[in-house]
Amino acid sequence: MKRITPLDTANTNGAANRISNQRLVLIALTTAITCILAPFSIPIPISPVPISLTNLVLLISIYILGWKGAVVSFLIYLLLGTVGLPVFSGFTGGPAKLAGPTGGYLVGFIFMIILAGIFAEHFAHKRFLVVAGMILGTAVAYIFGTAWLAFQMEMSFTAALSIGVLPYLPGDTAKIIIAVTFGPVLKDRISLVR
């Protein structure tokens, strides 16, 4: 019986390792882009929730990484922010951000990625269904965020909805349109490089 050495394994799995290495690099780059763009935010006077580019980056990452890779990238981003790196909105970091009024939105983004990503993967050629998946995912993120905001601010769910969701609907609609427009283009360009 022939003994398999690490060198034999490397030779037989060379293509698989190269693909996984490319995937790891894409996940790392997407995480870095999230860390760069997410801190830029615009506070609005009626809400403790700022306008940020986080969900736009996440929706585009679905196209580049698939939903599983996008979830991994976002979880790394959350970990980096939780340990104190200033990657959350307003260049903040630490566990207090997750426990604060916007923490529910950050957790809700995980479910947004999963739902929107599954729609984007299964209905790639049906843009209307991809948009529907992104709307559904965003709605789930809103539910998590609004529930947590209501709890943190000691207000009703309806009051939290009026300050944590309604002002953001036009901007989030624009982000979905941008994602479904440019996400497939980025995906195609990245696949040509591979």
Side-chain angles (χ1 to χ4, degrees), residues 2 4-18:
K2 183 181 176 194
I4 297 176
T5 66
L7 184 57
D8 292 332
T9 305
N11 289 337
T12 59
N13 292 329
N17 285 340
R18 187 171 6 136

Side-chain angles (χ1 to χ4, degrees), residues 11-87:
N11 289 337
T12 59
N13 292 329
N17 285 340
R18 187 171 6 136
I19 292 169
S20 67
N21 287 341
Q22 287 176 343
R23 186 157 175 79
L24 288 174
V25 168
L26 282 175
I27 289 171
L29 284 173
T30 304
T31 303
I33 291 168
T34 307
C35 289
I36 291 167
L37 294 178
F40 292 100
S41 60
I42 302 169
I44 60 173
I46 61 167
S47 175
V49 182
I51 297 171
S52 79
L53 296 175
T54 308
N55 50 345
L56 174 62
V57 175
L58 300 178
L59 292 173
I60 291 175
S61 74
I62 291 165
Y63 287 98
I64 297 168
L65 302 171
W67 71 266
K68 292 176 186 173
V71 167
V72 170
S73 174
F74 185 64
L75 290 175
I76 294 168
Y77 160 79
L78 283 180
L79 179 65
L80 292 172
T82 302
V83 298
L85 291 178
V87 297

Side-chain angles (χ1 to χ4, degrees), residues 93-174:
K97 189 70 171 185
L98 286 176
T102 60
Y105 296 99
L106 291 169
V107 172
F109 284 157
I110 298 167
F111 300 97
M112 180 189 76
I113 294 167
I114 294 168
L115 285 170
I118 288 171
F119 273 74
E121 286 181 16
H122 290 288
F123 305 110
H125 301 293
K126 297 179 181 176
R127 191 171 283 189
F128 173 75
L129 289 175
V130 174
V131 169
M134 290 184 177
I135 291 170
L136 179 63
T138 301
V140 170
Y142 282 158
I143 290 168
F144 274 89
T146 304
W148 187 249
L149 180 63
F151 172 76
Q152 283 292 310
M153 304 286 292
E154 298 179 357
M155 59 176 56
S156 70
F157 187 85
T158 306
L161 194 67
S162 68
I163 67 168
V165 173
L166 296 181
Y168 305 92
L169 291 175
D172 287 346
T173 301

